[in-house]
Amino acid sequence: MIAFAVSGGLSAFGGVLLAGYASKAAQSMGDAYLLPSIAAVVLGGTSILGGRVFVADVMNGSIVQNDIRFAVLDLFDDEHI
């Protein structure tokens, strides 16, 4: 129960920071972050259907996701063409 309360509080704090950074608030502001966050969890090896979650694995999935993203961006960079 405490984990849900902490998660909700940190999510609210992140939403306030995002709204302050963008100088506006809209219901769909966080939509761009939804799929990458789920992809990082899945790349880390966590089952979508439930089970044990290891924070280190989720962090590793996030690192792998960023490496893939930067590799693709570097691949299609105009300087190399």
Side-chain angles (χ1 to χ4, degrees):
M1 199 67 167
I2 293 173
F4 287 120
V6 170
S7 175
L10 290 176
S11 296
F13 182 67
V16 169
L17 288 178
L18 180 63
Y21 178 74
S23 301
K24 64 178 181 178
Q27 186 176 4
S28 62
M29 284 182 74
D31 288 348
Y33 302 107
L34 181 63
L35 187 60
S37 63
I38 294 173
V41 171
V42 171
L43 283 173
T46 303
S47 174
I48 296 176
L49 302 176
R52 292 191 174 263
V53 177
F54 297 103
V55 176
D57 291 342
V58 174
M59 293 295 174
N60 287 336
S62 178
I63 291 169
V64 168
Q65 179 186 16
N66 281 330
D67 288 345
I68 291 171
R69 183 180 61 156
F70 288 132
V72 169
L73 288 175
D74 191 35
L75 182 66
F76 294 108
D77 192 11
D78 288 338
E79 292 179 9
H80 298 292
I81 297 177

mmCIF file of all heavy atoms in Angstrom, residues 3-35:
data_model
loop_
_atom_site.group_PDB
_atom_site.id
_atom_site.type_symbol
_atom_site.label_atom_id
_atom_site.label_comp_id
_atom_site.label_asym_id
_atom_site.label_seq_id
_atom_site.Cartn_x
_atom_site.Cartn_y
_atom_site.Cartn_z
ATOM 1 N N ALA A 3 3.776 1.501 -1.342
ATOM 2 C CA ALA A 3 4.369 1.658 -2.670
ATOM 3 C C ALA A 3 3.416 2.401 -3.605
ATOM 4 O O ALA A 3 3.858 3.236 -4.403
ATOM 5 C CB ALA A 3 4.720 0.293 -3.249
ATOM 6 N N PHE A 4 2.133 2.115 -3.516
ATOM 7 C CA PHE A 4 1.157 2.811 -4.355
ATOM 8 C C PHE A 4 1.076 4.293 -3.983
ATOM 9 O O PHE A 4 0.965 5.162 -4.852
ATOM 10 C CB PHE A 4 -0.228 2.176 -4.240
ATOM 11 C CG PHE A 4 -0.338 0.855 -4.931
ATOM 12 C CD1 PHE A 4 -0.659 -0.284 -4.224
ATOM 13 C CD2 PHE A 4 -0.126 0.748 -6.299
ATOM 14 C CE1 PHE A 4 -0.758 -1.507 -4.859
ATOM 15 C CE2 PHE A 4 -0.225 -0.461 -6.950
ATOM 16 C CZ PHE A 4 -0.538 -1.593 -6.229
ATOM 17 N N ALA A 5 1.123 4.589 -2.701
ATOM 18 C CA ALA A 5 1.059 5.980 -2.248
ATOM 19 C C ALA A 5 2.299 6.751 -2.697
ATOM 20 O O ALA A 5 2.198 7.886 -3.182
ATOM 21 C CB ALA A 5 0.922 6.036 -0.737
ATOM 22 N N VAL A 6 3.462 6.144 -2.559
ATOM 23 C CA VAL A 6 4.699 6.802 -2.991
ATOM 24 C C VAL A 6 4.702 6.982 -4.502
ATOM 25 O O VAL A 6 5.083 8.038 -5.023
ATOM 26 C CB VAL A 6 5.927 5.996 -2.520
ATOM 27 C CG1 VAL A 6 7.202 6.521 -3.150
ATOM 28 C CG2 VAL A 6 6.033 6.025 -1.012
ATOM 29 N N SER A 7 4.262 5.969 -5.239
ATOM 30 C CA SER A 7 4.205 6.055 -6.694
ATOM 31 C C SER A 7 3.261 7.160 -7.147
ATOM 32 O O SER A 7 3.579 7.938 -8.054
ATOM 33 C CB SER A 7 3.748 4.717 -7.274
ATOM 34 O OG SER A 7 3.578 4.810 -8.664
ATOM 35 N N GLY A 8 2.108 7.250 -6.521
ATOM 36 C CA GLY A 8 1.155 8.306 -6.865
ATOM 37 C C GLY A 8 1.689 9.689 -6.551
ATOM 38 O O GLY A 8 1.527 10.635 -7.328
ATOM 39 N N GLY A 9 2.343 9.821 -5.407
ATOM 40 C CA GLY A 9 2.915 11.115 -5.035
ATOM 41 C C GLY A 9 4.023 11.546 -5.975
ATOM 42 O O GLY A 9 4.091 12.716 -6.384
ATOM 43 N N LEU A 10 4.906 10.619 -6.337
ATOM 44 C CA LEU A 10 5.982 10.954 -7.268
ATOM 45 C C LEU A 10 5.447 11.248 -8.669
ATOM 46 O O LEU A 10 5.975 12.113 -9.376
ATOM 47 C CB LEU A 10 7.011 9.828 -7.309
ATOM 48 C CG LEU A 10 7.863 9.661 -6.053
ATOM 49 C CD1 LEU A 10 8.767 8.448 -6.174
ATOM 50 C CD2 LEU A 10 8.669 10.912 -5.780
ATOM 51 N N SER A 11 4.392 10.547 -9.076
ATOM 52 C CA SER A 11 3.777 10.826 -10.377
ATOM 53 C C SER A 11 3.151 12.213 -10.399
ATOM 54 O O SER A 11 3.276 12.943 -11.383
ATOM 55 C CB SER A 11 2.711 9.779 -10.696
ATOM 56 O OG SER A 11 3.287 8.516 -10.818
ATOM 57 N N ALA A 12 2.498 12.575 -9.317
ATOM 58 C CA ALA A 12 1.908 13.915 -9.228
ATOM 59 C C ALA A 12 2.999 14.986 -9.251
ATOM 60 O O ALA A 12 2.862 16.011 -9.922
ATOM 61 C CB ALA A 12 1.074 14.043 -7.961
ATOM 62 N N PHE A 13 4.073 14.746 -8.530
ATOM 63 C CA PHE A 13 5.193 15.693 -8.521
ATOM 64 C C PHE A 13 5.810 15.826 -9.907
ATOM 65 O O PHE A 13 6.117 16.927 -10.369
ATOM 66 C CB PHE A 13 6.244 15.241 -7.503
ATOM 67 C CG PHE A 13 7.408 16.172 -7.395
ATOM 68 C CD1 PHE A 13 7.251 17.449 -6.885
ATOM 69 C CD2 PHE A 13 8.665 15.769 -7.803
ATOM 70 C CE1 PHE A 13 8.333 18.311 -6.785
ATOM 71 C CE2 PHE A 13 9.751 16.613 -7.702
ATOM 72 C CZ PHE A 13 9.580 17.895 -7.191
ATOM 73 N N GLY A 14 5.966 14.705 -10.614
ATOM 74 C CA GLY A 14 6.483 14.744 -11.983
ATOM 75 C C GLY A 14 5.545 15.491 -12.919
ATOM 76 O O GLY A 14 5.993 16.224 -13.804
ATOM 77 N N GLY A 15 4.243 15.330 -12.734
ATOM 78 C CA GLY A 15 3.276 16.066 -13.546
ATOM 79 C C GLY A 15 3.332 17.561 -13.310
ATOM 80 O O GLY A 15 3.233 18.359 -14.245
ATOM 81 N N VAL A 16 3.518 17.944 -12.064
ATOM 82 C CA VAL A 16 3.648 19.370 -11.749
ATOM 83 C C VAL A 16 4.918 19.937 -12.369
ATOM 84 O O VAL A 16 4.924 21.034 -12.934
ATOM 85 C CB VAL A 16 3.629 19.586 -10.216
ATOM 86 C CG1 VAL A 16 4.037 20.998 -9.853
ATOM 87 C CG2 VAL A 16 2.256 19.272 -9.666
ATOM 88 N N LEU A 17 6.022 19.179 -12.294
ATOM 89 C CA LEU A 17 7.266 19.635 -12.914
ATOM 90 C C LEU A 17 7.118 19.763 -14.436
ATOM 91 O O LEU A 17 7.608 20.721 -15.036
ATOM 92 C CB LEU A 17 8.410 18.679 -12.585
ATOM 93 C CG LEU A 17 8.939 18.708 -11.162
ATOM 94 C CD1 LEU A 17 10.044 17.668 -10.995
ATOM 95 C CD2 LEU A 17 9.454 20.087 -10.812
ATOM 96 N N LEU A 18 6.462 18.788 -15.066
ATOM 97 C CA LEU A 18 6.267 18.836 -16.510
ATOM 98 C C LEU A 18 5.385 20.010 -16.907
ATOM 99 O O LEU A 18 5.677 20.715 -17.877
ATOM 100 C CB LEU A 18 5.649 17.528 -17.013
ATOM 101 C CG LEU A 18 5.380 17.432 -18.511
ATOM 102 C CD1 LEU A 18 6.688 17.516 -19.294
ATOM 103 C CD2 LEU A 18 4.653 16.142 -18.834
ATOM 104 N N ALA A 19 4.331 20.254 -16.165
ATOM 105 C CA ALA A 19 3.451 21.388 -16.463
ATOM 106 C C ALA A 19 4.181 22.716 -16.254
ATOM 107 O O ALA A 19 4.004 23.660 -17.017
ATOM 108 C CB ALA A 19 2.203 21.335 -15.592
ATOM 109 N N GLY A 20 5.023 22.783 -15.233
ATOM 110 C CA GLY A 20 5.790 24.002 -15.011
ATOM 111 C C GLY A 20 6.824 24.225 -16.090
ATOM 112 O O GLY A 20 7.077 25.357 -16.505
ATOM 113 N N TYR A 21 7.434 23.153 -16.574
ATOM 114 C CA TYR A 21 8.434 23.260 -17.627
ATOM 115 C C TYR A 21 7.799 23.708 -18.942
ATOM 116 O O TYR A 21 8.369 24.502 -19.678
ATOM 117 C CB TYR A 21 9.143 21.915 -17.815
ATOM 118 C CG TYR A 21 10.168 21.908 -18.917
ATOM 119 C CD1 TYR A 21 11.390 22.544 -18.755
ATOM 120 C CD2 TYR A 21 9.917 21.254 -20.116
ATOM 121 C CE1 TYR A 21 12.327 22.541 -19.764
ATOM 122 C CE2 TYR A 21 10.848 21.246 -21.118
ATOM 123 C CZ TYR A 21 12.062 21.889 -20.939
ATOM 124 O OH TYR A 21 12.990 21.885 -21.949
ATOM 125 N N ALA A 22 6.604 23.196 -19.230
ATOM 126 C CA ALA A 22 5.928 23.527 -20.487
ATOM 127 C C ALA A 22 5.115 24.818 -20.384
ATOM 128 O O ALA A 22 4.597 25.292 -21.384
ATOM 129 C CB ALA A 22 5.004 22.383 -20.897
ATOM 130 N N SER A 23 4.973 25.382 -19.197
ATOM 131 C CA SER A 23 4.202 26.607 -18.943
ATOM 132 C C SER A 23 2.730 26.468 -19.282
ATOM 133 O O SER A 23 2.057 27.457 -19.549
ATOM 134 C CB SER A 23 4.798 27.791 -19.709
ATOM 135 O OG SER A 23 6.126 28.012 -19.329
ATOM 136 N N LYS A 24 2.250 25.240 -19.325
ATOM 137 C CA LYS A 24 0.827 24.992 -19.562
ATOM 138 C C LYS A 24 0.510 23.595 -19.049
ATOM 139 O O LYS A 24 1.404 22.809 -18.777
ATOM 140 C CB LYS A 24 0.473 25.105 -21.039
ATOM 141 C CG LYS A 24 1.154 24.075 -21.913
ATOM 142 C CD LYS A 24 0.744 24.198 -23.359
ATOM 143 C CE LYS A 24 1.448 23.124 -24.178
ATOM 144 N NZ LYS A 24 1.052 23.153 -25.562
ATOM 145 N N ALA A 25 -0.752 23.294 -18.949
ATOM 146 C CA ALA A 25 -1.171 21.969 -18.508
ATOM 147 C C ALA A 25 -2.275 21.469 -19.432
ATOM 148 O O ALA A 25 -3.188 22.206 -19.769
ATOM 149 C CB ALA A 25 -1.672 22.014 -17.075
ATOM 150 N N ALA A 26 -2.157 20.248 -19.852
ATOM 151 C CA ALA A 26 -3.172 19.609 -20.687
ATOM 152 C C ALA A 26 -3.265 18.143 -20.269
ATOM 153 O O ALA A 26 -2.297 17.566 -19.759
ATOM 154 C CB ALA A 26 -2.829 19.727 -22.160
ATOM 155 N N GLN A 27 -4.396 17.553 -20.504
ATOM 156 C CA GLN A 27 -4.619 16.181 -20.078
ATOM 157 C C GLN A 27 -3.719 15.205 -20.833
ATOM 158 O O GLN A 27 -3.328 14.171 -20.308
ATOM 159 C CB GLN A 27 -6.078 15.811 -20.295
ATOM 160 C CG GLN A 27 -6.437 14.458 -19.757
ATOM 161 C CD GLN A 27 -7.912 14.174 -19.909
ATOM 162 O OE1 GLN A 27 -8.654 14.950 -20.478
ATOM 163 N NE2 GLN A 27 -8.342 13.044 -19.401
ATOM 164 N N SER A 28 -3.340 15.511 -22.044
ATOM 165 C CA SER A 28 -2.558 14.588 -22.861
ATOM 166 C C SER A 28 -1.068 14.908 -22.885
ATOM 167 O O SER A 28 -0.357 14.455 -23.763
ATOM 168 C CB SER A 28 -3.102 14.598 -24.291
ATOM 169 O OG SER A 28 -2.968 15.896 -24.849
ATOM 170 N N MET A 29 -0.563 15.664 -21.914
ATOM 171 C CA MET A 29 0.848 16.042 -21.904
ATOM 172 C C MET A 29 1.773 14.841 -21.745
ATOM 173 O O MET A 29 2.852 14.813 -22.311
ATOM 174 C CB MET A 29 1.130 17.040 -20.788
ATOM 175 C CG MET A 29 0.657 18.422 -21.084
ATOM 176 S SD MET A 29 1.073 19.560 -19.777
ATOM 177 C CE MET A 29 2.800 19.745 -20.029
ATOM 178 N N GLY A 30 1.380 13.851 -21.003
ATOM 179 C CA GLY A 30 2.255 12.719 -20.730
ATOM 180 C C GLY A 30 2.132 11.579 -21.710
ATOM 181 O O GLY A 30 2.784 10.543 -21.540
ATOM 182 N N ASP A 31 1.313 11.722 -22.740
ATOM 183 C CA ASP A 31 1.112 10.627 -23.695
ATOM 184 C C ASP A 31 2.400 10.233 -24.408
ATOM 185 O O ASP A 31 2.594 9.064 -24.743
ATOM 186 C CB ASP A 31 0.051 11.001 -24.724
ATOM 187 C CG ASP A 31 -1.350 11.023 -24.135
ATOM 188 O OD1 ASP A 31 -1.518 10.537 -22.991
ATOM 189 O OD2 ASP A 31 -2.261 11.534 -24.808
ATOM 190 N N ALA A 32 3.284 11.172 -24.643
ATOM 191 C CA ALA A 32 4.532 10.862 -25.342
ATOM 192 C C ALA A 32 5.462 10.011 -24.491
ATOM 193 O O ALA A 32 6.387 9.388 -25.004
ATOM 194 C CB ALA A 32 5.231 12.155 -25.740
ATOM 195 N N TYR A 33 5.235 9.963 -23.180
ATOM 196 C CA TYR A 33 6.098 9.206 -22.277
ATOM 197 C C TYR A 33 5.540 7.827 -21.937
ATOM 198 O O TYR A 33 6.232 7.030 -21.311
ATOM 199 C CB TYR A 33 6.302 9.984 -20.974
ATOM 200 C CG TYR A 33 6.907 11.343 -21.196
ATOM 201 C CD1 TYR A 33 6.144 12.494 -21.053
ATOM 202 C CD2 TYR A 33 8.225 11.483 -21.570
ATOM 203 C CE1 TYR A 33 6.686 13.744 -21.264
ATOM 204 C CE2 TYR A 33 8.790 12.724 -21.786
ATOM 205 C CZ TYR A 33 8.022 13.851 -21.625
ATOM 206 O OH TYR A 33 8.550 15.081 -21.844
ATOM 207 N N LEU A 34 4.330 7.529 -22.353
ATOM 208 C CA LEU A 34 3.681 6.283 -21.955
ATOM 209 C C LEU A 34 4.321 5.065 -22.616
ATOM 210 O O LEU A 34 4.755 4.132 -21.934
ATOM 211 C CB LEU A 34 2.190 6.341 -22.273
ATOM 212 C CG LEU A 34 1.386 5.105 -21.895
ATOM 213 C CD1 LEU A 34 1.434 4.904 -20.390
ATOM 214 C CD2 LEU A 34 -0.039 5.241 -22.362
ATOM 215 N N LEU A 35 4.399 5.037 -23.931
ATOM 216 C CA LEU A 35 4.929 3.870 -24.636
ATOM 217 C C LEU A 35 6.406 3.637 -24.333
ATOM 218 O O LEU A 35 6.801 2.491 -24.095
ATOM 219 C CB LEU A 35 4.689 4.000 -26.138
ATOM 220 C CG LEU A 35 5.050 2.782 -26.970
ATOM 221 C CD1 LEU A 35 4.229 1.577 -26.527
ATOM 222 C CD2 LEU A 35 4.838 3.062 -28.438
#
